Each structure stands twice: as structure tokens, then as C-alpha cells.
Amino acid sequence: MTAIPQAAVAYVTSREAPDREKATALAAFAAAGLAAEAVVWDDPAVEWSRYGVAVVRSTWDYTGRRAEFLAWAGRASAVTRLCNPVAVLERNTDKTYLRGLAAAGVPVVPTAWVAPGQRLTEAAAPWPELVVKPTVSAGARDTVRTTDQEAAAAHAAALTAAGRTAMVQPYLRAVDGEGETSLVFIGGGFSHAVRRGPMLSGPEGRFADELREPDADQLAMAEQVLAAVPERADLLYARVDLVRDEDGAPVLIELELTEPRLFLQYDDAAPARLASAVRARLA
């Protein structure tokens, strides 16, 4: 193996991230001969020029200060190779990127967008059950699921009053049955997929995440989604989250290119794939 300089890889995290993949990833990097360490993205003492690659992972606290996070990404990318690239982070940290994918022909969950100064109307979101959330968020933070149009409008109004853009989508019943399917791509190729339990369901609809073999139409959909990303060739990782619509066709919920959980522990070969892809970028 070609020698790799000390502290070549920064595993970029946040101060209090409950990161269940960090140890797995760092062990895989070490096994591949990579000197790697976990560093906090907003730590002013970090010298990013020390690293050949900075792998953005569990930076989950950026949602409350996106501008600060993107400013950091710009500075870091000037002195190291940031994965994923800063242009990807700029676009992917606001879920309005879904509009661009829909315009490119990707089947996306129907969405009504409510910007500051606008209000949600029933005509814009005529679905029996709604999910309302901000366009800059992680997990289910500041997200509500409701059958009450007035409650949905009130939550959207609270978000826009705070200067945030709201997005409103129908709650798809397939989430409670089949669940979401997250297809993970590493180093440009498909790695593995996980069936994810619903985050907004009651106890009767919950089930554990598990490794699954994606269907052919899901794989084809994921490839279609990634083909619409201009920086596809530069992506270290990607996670394509799909669910089936009322007609049974896969539709995109989210394309995670910033800090997704990669479910490394669910596939024995995935950590080594990630390490190999990082090593290729160092070379």
C-alpha cells in the first residue's frame, strides 16, 4: 500500500452527536491503513489543512445555523478535499432541492411549499393526512403529522413567521407497511439497502430497521435520482430514501448527500467500501 500521511482523514462530527457509526468507520479506516480521527466541524482549534480528506458525517447540529455551517464548508474545502463537495452541501442542506429533482423528471412525493409571507391553503395541499416540516431540518425535528388542515396551516404559519420555509406532503400509508427503503451508495456504486421503520407512526406502525434487498424498480429509481445530480462523480456517499405511493410506484422522499446515517453496521462489507472510497480520494 502507498503510505498515507499521519491524520490524513478527518471524520467530521458535532459536539453532541449520538453517532452510532463513528467507531465502525474509524476502525475500517485503520484497517485500510488510513490515519483518521474524529473532529468537530465548528471547533476553531482544528487545522483543516492537516487532512487530505474531510469526510462530513454526523454534523447534525447545523440545522439551526446553516449559514455558519456552509461558511465552514467553504473554508475547509479551500485547504482540504471535502466529501461531499461544498456545492453539494449548499444545495442539499435545504430540502427545496426536491423542486429541482422534480423538474428534472424524478418522481418526488407531492409537495406544497410555503415561503415566509405565504400561507398554506387546503387547495395547495388537498390530502387527507399531512406532514408539515421546515425545509432545513434533520430527522423529525419541528415536524408534525396531522389530519387537521387548520393544525397544518398553523404549524406552517409558525415556521414561516420564524423566517423558515415550510414544506407540506401527504402522509403515504406505505410507510406504515413496507416502510421507507434507504439505498446507500458508496464511491459511486450501490452498496446496500435498509428497510426503515416510520418515524411519525404510532406504536402499531413501528418496526425495527433491517437490511433488505431492494426491488428492481427501486434500484432504477435511485439511479435516476443520482443521474440528476451534477456532481454525481464526486460523491463519496449518497442515500436515496424511497417509499411507494398509493399506486405502488417508488417515489423519492429525500436524497441525503450531507450527513446521512449510512447503516454501516447492517452490511459487513460496507465499512470497508467506505474506507476504500476514501483511500481512492486520498490517492
Side-chain angles (χ1 to χ4, degrees):
M1 286 187 177
T2 303
I4 298 295
Q6 181 67 25
V9 180
Y11 182 99
V12 187
T13 183
S14 50
R15 295 184 188 278
E16 299 181 3
D19 188 336
R20 291 175 282 178
E21 298 186 328
K22 179 172 65 177
T24 300
L26 292 177
F29 294 159
L34 301 175
E37 59 189 19
V39 289
V40 174
W41 72 269
D42 61 348
D43 183 349
V46 176
E47 296 180 17
W48 296 100
S49 59
R50 294 178 57 227
Y51 304 100
V53 173
V55 183
V56 179
R57 294 307 307 122
S58 46
T59 57
W60 298 323
D61 59 356
Y62 83 85
T63 58
R65 46 198 176 119
R66 177 172 175 258
E68 182 183 346
F69 175 71
L70 293 179
W72 161 79
R75 294 191 302 272
S77 66
V79 295
T80 186
R81 181 165 187 174
L82 194 66
C83 297
N84 283 325
V86 63
V88 172
L89 305 186
E90 288 174 347
R91 185 170 61 250
N92 191 247
T93 48
D94 189 319
K95 293 179 177 58
T96 54
Y97 71 80
L98 290 169
R99 288 190 290 201
L101 292 174
V106 173
V108 173
V109 176
T111 307
W113 307 93
V114 189
Q118 300 178 333
R119 66 184 186 88
L120 177 65
T121 64
E122 187 171 352
W127 307 298
E129 190 163 14
L130 307 174
V131 175
V132 186
K133 57 188 173 183
T135 60
V136 179
S137 67
R141 190 175 304 154
D142 298 328
T143 299
V144 301
R145 171 188 171 187
T146 181
T147 58
D148 186 333
Q149 282 279 349
E150 290 186 3
H155 187 61
L159 293 173
T160 57
R164 308 168 79 181
T165 296
M167 56 190 297
V168 186
Q169 298 175 319
Y171 186 82
L172 298 178
R173 286 296 170 186
V175 173
D176 290 333
E178 180 178 336
E180 294 183 30
T181 297
S182 291
L183 294 93
V184 177
F185 289 73
I186 296 175
F190 173 71
S191 174
H192 58 285
V194 169
R195 176 192 186 227
R196 296 171 58 206
M199 299 182 68
L200 300 176
S201 178
E204 72 286 349
R206 293 178 185 163
F207 46 82
D209 300 337
E210 61 182 3
L211 193 68
R212 68 157 296 174
E213 187 71 26
D215 297 329
D217 60 350
Q218 293 172 322
L219 274 171
M221 168 68 74
E223 290 290 351
Q224 180 185 355
V225 171
L226 292 175
V229 178
E231 303 87 357
R232 165 75 190 271
D234 297 322
L235 298 178
L236 174 64
Y237 53 78
R239 199 184 82 198
V240 184
D241 294 343
L242 305 177
V243 68
R244 293 193 180 277
D245 64 16
E246 301 302 329
D247 296 322
V251 291
L252 179 69
I253 292 184
E254 287 198 42
L255 171 60
E256 296 271 13
L257 303 178
T258 301
E259 30 59 64
R261 184 182 176 197
L262 297 176
F263 301 101
L264 296 178
Q265 300 96 322
Y266 288 71
D267 183 270
D268 291 342
R273 289 190 195 106
L274 180 62
S276 177
V278 169
R279 188 179 180 88
R281 279 152 179 75
L282 279 167

